[in-house]
Every structure is written in C-alpha cells, then in structure tokens.
Amino acid sequence: MLKVKNINTYYGKVHALKNVTIHLAQGEIVALIGANGAGKTTILNTLSGVIPARTGSIQFLGEPVETLPPDRIVKIGISQVPEGRQVFKGMTVADNLELGAYLRFRSREPREQIRQDMRHMYELFPRLEERKKQMAGTLSGGEQQMLAIGRALMARPRLLLLDEPSMGLAPLVVQEIFGVIERLRRDEGTTILLVEQNARAALKMADRGYVLETGKVILEGAAAELLENPEVQRAYLGKEKKEIWER
Amino acid sequence: MDLADQIAQYMVSGLSTGAIYALIGIGFAIIYNSTEIINFAQGELVMLGGMFTLFFLETMKLPLPLSILLAVLATIASGVLFERLTIRPLKAPTPLSLIIITIGGSILIRGIAMLVWGKDTHALPAFSGSEPIAVGSATILPQHLWIFALTGIAIVSNKLFFQYTITGKAMRACAVNRRAAGLVGIDVRRMVLFSFAISGGLGSLAGIIVAPLTMTSYDVGIMLGLKGFCAAIIGGLSGGIGTVLGGLLLGTLESLGAGLISSGYKDAIAFVILLLILFIRPQGLFGRAQTERV
Ligand SMILES: Nc1ncnc2c1ncn2[C@@H]1O[C@H](COP(=O)(O)OP(=O)(O)O)[C@@H](O)[C@H]1O
Ligand SMILES: [Mg+2]
C-alpha cells in the first residue's frame, strides 16, 4: 500500500532522515519506535507533505506522492494525527470533527454521509459526544487525543499516521486509546503507522515494527521478534526497569 | 439646543462613524488572524471602494446601486490581486517583511489612485436624499440609517459565515492552528486569499457608505485605516463583537471629544486610545483574544 524508498529529509542543513526505506501492507499496524529526536515525527511529516523529502520516492497505492502538498495527501487517503494532538482549541469538539471532513465538504459529498460519520465518531468516543459543544481546549489530554484521532478519521483515511498518541497520558487512558486503534483495524481495515516512544505497548499491538536511530532505520521485523530482540529490549524496553504501572 | 440634545446629536454621528471603523477593523482582524500580519494597505482598500464607485457612477454613468456593487467586487479583486502579488510570492515570510510589504503596497496603491483620479476630493451622492429625520431631539440623516443598516448586515453575515459555513470554520482553524489546518486538508494559502477578499469587501463597503458624508479622495485611506486599526486593537483583534464595540466606542468618543472640547482633538483621541490600549491592555478591552479570535 505504501512504499517509501530511500528518502532523505533535511531541516536546512540538518540531515534528519537518512535513506529511510519502509513499507506498509494493506490492513497492517506497523510500529515506528525510536528515542526522542530519532526522526519519527519527521517521517510522518514527510509522508504528509509538510516537510517534503529532498530525494527518494514515496508510493501510495501505486502512485508517486512525494511531491504532493498536505491537502492533496489527505485527499488521496493519508491522514495524520499529529504529535501533541494539535486540536483546534478555540473551536468546539463538533467543529473540530467537522473540519476533519473539510475535503469531503469541498467535494460536495452528501451531508448525510458526513453526519453519519460524526455519529460513528461519537460512538467510538462517547466522551466526545458528551462534550461536543465544549471548546476543544477545555478537554483533558486523553479527550484531546481522542478528538485528534476522530478528526483524522473524519477524512476517511485509508492510512492513518499516529504520532505518539500515548504521550503524557495516564495508563488507563492509553489502554482506551490503543483499544480504539485495534478496533479500527479490526472493524474498518484501516492501515496504521504508529509512532511511539512507548515501545512495548506499540509492539504488542503491531504486526511489524521499525526501529529508528538518528534518522536511520537500524532494525526491522515482526513485532514479536523485535520484542524479543536483546538490543531492542535494552535500548527501548528497559528490560531491567519495569514501567511504573507494572511494578 | 441644550447640552443633552447636543450629546444625543454627537452620539448619532459618532455611532455611524464608529460603525465604519468597525467594518474596517474587522478587515484588519480577519487578515491578522489568518496571516498574523497587520495589513497596512487595509485603508487603501477602503479608499478604493469610494473611488471605484465614483468611477462606475460618473465615468461609466451606471446607476448608483450597480456602481456600488461593482465597486465592492472591484475592491475584492484588488485585495485578492494584492495578496497574489505581494504576500504569496514570499518564500520565507517573516512578520517584519510582510508588514513592510503591506506598507509599501499601501503607498503604491495610493500613488496609483492619485495618478488616476487626481488630488481632488470627490463627493458621492447620498443613497436616498439628505433630508434630516428628527429622532427625539436629535436629527439623523438618511445616510446614517444606511450606514447602520448596511454595517449591521455586513457584520451579521460575516459572523454567520465564520460561525456556520465550513469555509468560515476552516478559516478560523487556520487562525487557531495553521499546521493542524494543513493536516486536515485545508489549503492554508487559499484561506489567506479568502481573508484578503473578505477584508476587501468589508473595507470597500465602509469606504462607500461613508463617502456621501465625508467626501473621498486618494488619501482618505490613511486616516480611515488607522482608525479601523485602532478599533481592531481595542477589540483585541477579534473579528467579532470586540472590534464592533471598539469601533463604536472610538467613534462616539471622537465625536463627543470633537463636539464638546475641540474638533482639533478629533484624530488625537484615536491615537491616545491606541497607545493606552497597547500599553495597558494589549489583549484589547474585551479580550478573550486567546480562545476566540474570529
Ligand atoms: N523544525 C526543525 N528544525 C530543525 N531541526 C529539526 C526540526 N524538527 C526536528 N528537527 C531535528 O530533526 C531530528 C528529528 O526530529 P523528530 O522527527 O522530531 O524526532 P522524533 O519525532 O523522533 O522525536 C532531531 O534531531 C531534531 O532536532
Ligand atoms: Mg516526535
């Protein structure tokens, strides 16, 4: 479905992605893990057309997409849930969701279909329905994350890019959100590229994974194998020290 | 006429100029919210509104309503063209370079207007006569009523547009979080263009409805632009009620100050208010500036 080949992305002189090659098959959940500053967000932003790659190719459903601007990328079916949620804080929850369907409004899709998807989002995230008239900025971190996911889903993406959805959230909320991600794949066949620092949780859910270090892919493989890989365990899973909630 | 009557009279004219300032101020706010720049050419769009009307009315001999409509459209086109030629081509825009460009643009537009229409002041006919109407102890001109009505309609439609249409919401989204707006598929540059179009429309309307009362010339944009800017600052650069109140407040204070103290102070009042606000309450008098700007 997605084939990324040898992309190099720069911030001015900073060489942030070095010959990154990854691929995703239809219906997969693929985890992208790596330390802070490894280039995970940069990969997603390159895919979304926010920071185009200087060299390399990106194919989505067989079409080259590496030169498309962000709005065209959304149009062809790739939506990103950005790092730090980035909801429209001064706007209501309902408006945020509606804006997720912006391009569908623009292409004159029947309103009823969009409304139906809104109801579906409220069903996925009942807490958003309770707060639909509230300003997004007044939501808790977990609710904002749900809203950011719901907003991206309103575009009906075929590929969903999730940037650290668990960041700064309590373990129970993380579970809830990961539950929704699994449900999306199961019920709707959405393909998901999941960026996480919470490597254990991400690999447990994913089919495959890539490990990124200073802009390079250093490891790739089935998620179960990566979980067993001693190097991954040492560097990203903190095998010796347990996560706080596991003690 | 006793003092109360005089005050009533000053209020009427103050509110009507205030309405004009509000329209211009909203134009500033809309562009500011989508680009974070103060468009110092806003006043020139106001001037173009009056001048284009004059052109269609006197040079082309078209009827007044049609002239007004065409002038609004021509000014919208000018606003769009201005954005296309000045803001959009910038590769790495910084607020400072953008501001300098809008100032340069305003000088250019004023210069062209002077070459085309000369330095004379021109008058537009009042929309429906100039027989004063008595309202209690004050009198009001039909043109004042036009100003109140058209400003009201423009402000309400503007509000409805931003509140209820998907394009309006998309423009607000750009103001709130440009990056995220791009990620949901909103073409941010298109929204910037729209903001120039809307500001051009509101500005030209202001310039047109005020012209029968105050005359117009190639340089009316300087003062009107600054007053509108002042209204927007009082309103915390909100594209809504804050700026409307800011305009009305400024208009009435000016009118009362000029009438009761001395007309020499009229323009100074705006600048004193502007400075006071910027020093004491930069978020505006009615500031909820952070959460609801449009
Ligand atoms: N806007 C930027 N300008 C310059 N360098 C940046 C910018 N954003 C990220 N970087 C650099 O690119 C590298 C990758 O960053 P990022 O993709 O955000 O990493 P991650 O998401 O894995 O934490 C880092 O070294 C970071 O300092
Ligand atoms: Mg990141």
Side-chain angles (χ1 to χ4, degrees), chain A residues 35-52:
Chain A
N36 208 357
K40 306 181 296 294
T41 298
T42 308
I43 291 191
L44 297 195
N45 281 336
T46 296
L47 291 175
S48 286
V50 177
I51 311 160

PDB file of all heavy atoms in Angstrom, chain A residues 35-52:
ATOM      1  N   ALA A  35      14.141   6.705  19.962  1.00  0.00           N
ATOM      2  CA  ALA A  35      14.269   7.682  21.032  1.00  0.00           C
ATOM      3  C   ALA A  35      13.818   9.062  20.554  1.00  0.00           C
ATOM      4  O   ALA A  35      13.571   9.278  19.368  1.00  0.00           O
ATOM      5  CB  ALA A  35      15.716   7.743  21.502  1.00  0.00           C
ATOM      6  N   ASN A  36      13.726   9.962  21.503  1.00  0.00           N
ATOM      7  CA  ASN A  36      13.415  11.351  21.192  1.00  0.00           C
ATOM      8  C   ASN A  36      14.446  11.898  20.206  1.00  0.00           C
ATOM      9  O   ASN A  36      15.633  11.704  20.386  1.00  0.00           O
ATOM     10  CB  ASN A  36      13.484  12.141  22.503  1.00  0.00           C
ATOM     11  CG  ASN A  36      12.592  13.332  22.475  1.00  0.00           C
ATOM     12  OD1 ASN A  36      11.958  13.599  21.451  1.00  0.00           O
ATOM     13  ND2 ASN A  36      12.527  14.047  23.570  1.00  0.00           N
ATOM     14  N   GLY A  37      13.978  12.537  19.155  1.00  0.00           N
ATOM     15  CA  GLY A  37      14.910  13.137  18.195  1.00  0.00           C
ATOM     16  C   GLY A  37      15.405  12.184  17.129  1.00  0.00           C
ATOM     17  O   GLY A  37      16.238  12.551  16.303  1.00  0.00           O
ATOM     18  N   ALA A  38      14.882  10.949  17.117  1.00  0.00           N
ATOM     19  CA  ALA A  38      15.354   9.966  16.138  1.00  0.00           C
ATOM     20  C   ALA A  38      14.874  10.305  14.729  1.00  0.00           C
ATOM     21  O   ALA A  38      15.495   9.895  13.748  1.00  0.00           O
ATOM     22  CB  ALA A  38      14.871   8.576  16.532  1.00  0.00           C
ATOM     23  N   GLY A  39      13.765  11.036  14.617  1.00  0.00           N
ATOM     24  CA  GLY A  39      13.261  11.401  13.287  1.00  0.00           C
ATOM     25  C   GLY A  39      11.888  10.805  13.000  1.00  0.00           C
ATOM     26  O   GLY A  39      11.429  10.830  11.853  1.00  0.00           O
ATOM     27  N   LYS A  40      11.211  10.325  14.033  1.00  0.00           N
ATOM     28  CA  LYS A  40       9.903   9.687  13.825  1.00  0.00           C
ATOM     29  C   LYS A  40       8.882  10.689  13.283  1.00  0.00           C
ATOM     30  O   LYS A  40       8.202  10.437  12.285  1.00  0.00           O
ATOM     31  CB  LYS A  40       9.391   9.092  15.157  1.00  0.00           C
ATOM     32  CG  LYS A  40      10.385   8.138  15.814  1.00  0.00           C
ATOM     33  CD  LYS A  40       9.855   7.542  17.095  1.00  0.00           C
ATOM     34  CE  LYS A  40       9.598   8.540  18.215  1.00  0.00           C
ATOM     35  NZ  LYS A  40      10.802   9.196  18.757  1.00  0.00           N
ATOM     36  N   THR A  41       8.803  11.833  13.957  1.00  0.00           N
ATOM     37  CA  THR A  41       7.855  12.859  13.514  1.00  0.00           C
ATOM     38  C   THR A  41       8.199  13.337  12.102  1.00  0.00           C
ATOM     39  O   THR A  41       7.324  13.593  11.279  1.00  0.00           O
ATOM     40  CB  THR A  41       7.879  14.044  14.503  1.00  0.00           C
ATOM     41  OG1 THR A  41       7.470  13.559  15.782  1.00  0.00           O
ATOM     42  CG2 THR A  41       6.954  15.152  14.059  1.00  0.00           C
ATOM     43  N   THR A  42       9.496  13.419  11.841  1.00  0.00           N
ATOM     44  CA  THR A  42       9.915  13.867  10.503  1.00  0.00           C
ATOM     45  C   THR A  42       9.428  12.898   9.429  1.00  0.00           C
ATOM     46  O   THR A  42       8.996  13.335   8.356  1.00  0.00           O
ATOM     47  CB  THR A  42      11.443  14.015  10.460  1.00  0.00           C
ATOM     48  OG1 THR A  42      11.851  14.834  11.547  1.00  0.00           O
ATOM     49  CG2 THR A  42      11.886  14.646   9.155  1.00  0.00           C
ATOM     50  N   ILE A  43       9.473  11.598   9.715  1.00  0.00           N
ATOM     51  CA  ILE A  43       8.968  10.633   8.728  1.00  0.00           C
ATOM     52  C   ILE A  43       7.495  10.916   8.437  1.00  0.00           C
ATOM     53  O   ILE A  43       7.079  11.012   7.280  1.00  0.00           O
ATOM     54  CB  ILE A  43       9.131   9.182   9.231  1.00  0.00           C
ATOM     55  CG1 ILE A  43      10.612   8.822   9.271  1.00  0.00           C
ATOM     56  CG2 ILE A  43       8.371   8.214   8.320  1.00  0.00           C
ATOM     57  CD1 ILE A  43      10.888   7.350   9.505  1.00  0.00           C
ATOM     58  N   LEU A  44       6.709  11.074   9.501  1.00  0.00           N
ATOM     59  CA  LEU A  44       5.279  11.312   9.294  1.00  0.00           C
ATOM     60  C   LEU A  44       5.049  12.606   8.525  1.00  0.00           C
ATOM     61  O   LEU A  44       4.199  12.668   7.637  1.00  0.00           O
ATOM     62  CB  LEU A  44       4.530  11.347  10.625  1.00  0.00           C
ATOM     63  CG  LEU A  44       4.541  10.058  11.459  1.00  0.00           C
ATOM     64  CD1 LEU A  44       3.482  10.110  12.542  1.00  0.00           C
ATOM     65  CD2 LEU A  44       4.349   8.823  10.592  1.00  0.00           C
ATOM     66  N   ASN A  45       5.817  13.627   8.871  1.00  0.00           N
ATOM     67  CA  ASN A  45       5.612  14.900   8.178  1.00  0.00           C
ATOM     68  C   ASN A  45       6.080  14.858   6.729  1.00  0.00           C
ATOM     69  O   ASN A  45       5.538  15.554   5.876  1.00  0.00           O
ATOM     70  CB  ASN A  45       6.286  16.040   8.937  1.00  0.00           C
ATOM     71  CG  ASN A  45       5.438  16.487  10.122  1.00  0.00           C
ATOM     72  OD1 ASN A  45       4.220  16.278  10.124  1.00  0.00           O
ATOM     73  ND2 ASN A  45       6.062  17.062  11.127  1.00  0.00           N
ATOM     74  N   THR A  46       7.058  14.035   6.463  1.00  0.00           N
ATOM     75  CA  THR A  46       7.454  13.851   5.065  1.00  0.00           C
ATOM     76  C   THR A  46       6.346  13.123   4.312  1.00  0.00           C
ATOM     77  O   THR A  46       5.975  13.512   3.203  1.00  0.00           O
ATOM     78  CB  THR A  46       8.782  13.081   4.978  1.00  0.00           C
ATOM     79  OG1 THR A  46       9.802  13.869   5.587  1.00  0.00           O
ATOM     80  CG2 THR A  46       9.166  12.811   3.536  1.00  0.00           C
ATOM     81  N   LEU A  47       5.772  12.106   4.943  1.00  0.00           N
ATOM     82  CA  LEU A  47       4.667  11.393   4.305  1.00  0.00           C
ATOM     83  C   LEU A  47       3.485  12.329   4.065  1.00  0.00           C
ATOM     84  O   LEU A  47       2.818  12.266   3.037  1.00  0.00           O
ATOM     85  CB  LEU A  47       4.212  10.209   5.179  1.00  0.00           C
ATOM     86  CG  LEU A  47       5.192   9.044   5.290  1.00  0.00           C
ATOM     87  CD1 LEU A  47       4.685   8.008   6.282  1.00  0.00           C
ATOM     88  CD2 LEU A  47       5.396   8.411   3.918  1.00  0.00           C
ATOM     89  N   SER A  48       3.228  13.213   5.026  1.00  0.00           N
ATOM     90  CA  SER A  48       2.077  14.121   4.913  1.00  0.00           C
ATOM     91  C   SER A  48       2.337  15.307   3.988  1.00  0.00           C
ATOM     92  O   SER A  48       1.460  16.140   3.810  1.00  0.00           O
ATOM     93  CB  SER A  48       1.691  14.661   6.294  1.00  0.00           C
ATOM     94  OG  SER A  48       1.047  13.660   7.040  1.00  0.00           O
ATOM     95  N   GLY A  49       3.545  15.416   3.483  1.00  0.00           N
ATOM     96  CA  GLY A  49       3.837  16.525   2.579  1.00  0.00           C
ATOM     97  C   GLY A  49       4.153  17.832   3.283  1.00  0.00           C
ATOM     98  O   GLY A  49       4.251  18.875   2.647  1.00  0.00           O
ATOM     99  N   VAL A  50       4.303  17.784   4.617  1.00  0.00           N
ATOM    100  CA  VAL A  50       4.587  19.016   5.356  1.00  0.00           C
ATOM    101  C   VAL A  50       6.052  19.412   5.178  1.00  0.00           C
ATOM    102  O   VAL A  50       6.380  20.580   4.988  1.00  0.00           O
ATOM    103  CB  VAL A  50       4.259  18.843   6.860  1.00  0.00           C
ATOM    104  CG1 VAL A  50       4.616  20.092   7.635  1.00  0.00           C
ATOM    105  CG2 VAL A  50       2.794  18.500   7.044  1.00  0.00           C
ATOM    106  N   ILE A  51       6.933  18.403   5.262  1.00  0.00           N
ATOM    107  CA  ILE A  51       8.361  18.644   5.030  1.00  0.00           C
ATOM    108  C   ILE A  51       8.808  17.671   3.952  1.00  0.00           C
ATOM    109  O   ILE A  51       9.206  16.554   4.247  1.00  0.00           O
ATOM    110  CB  ILE A  51       9.186  18.384   6.305  1.00  0.00           C
ATOM    111  CG1 ILE A  51       8.557  19.102   7.495  1.00  0.00           C
ATOM    112  CG2 ILE A  51      10.628  18.832   6.129  1.00  0.00           C
ATOM    113  CD1 ILE A  51       8.988  18.539   8.815  1.00  0.00           C
ATOM    114  N   PRO A  52       8.700  18.078   2.693  1.00  0.00           N
ATOM    115  CA  PRO A  52       8.988  17.142   1.606  1.00  0.00           C
ATOM    116  C   PRO A  52      10.416  16.609   1.670  1.00  0.00           C
ATOM    117  O   PRO A  52      11.326  17.300   2.135  1.00  0.00           O
ATOM    118  CB  PRO A  52       8.782  17.987   0.349  1.00  0.00           C
ATOM    119  CG  PRO A  52       7.998  19.176   0.788  1.00  0.00           C
ATOM    120  CD  PRO A  52       8.353  19.406   2.214  1.00  0.00           C
TER     121      PRO A  52
END
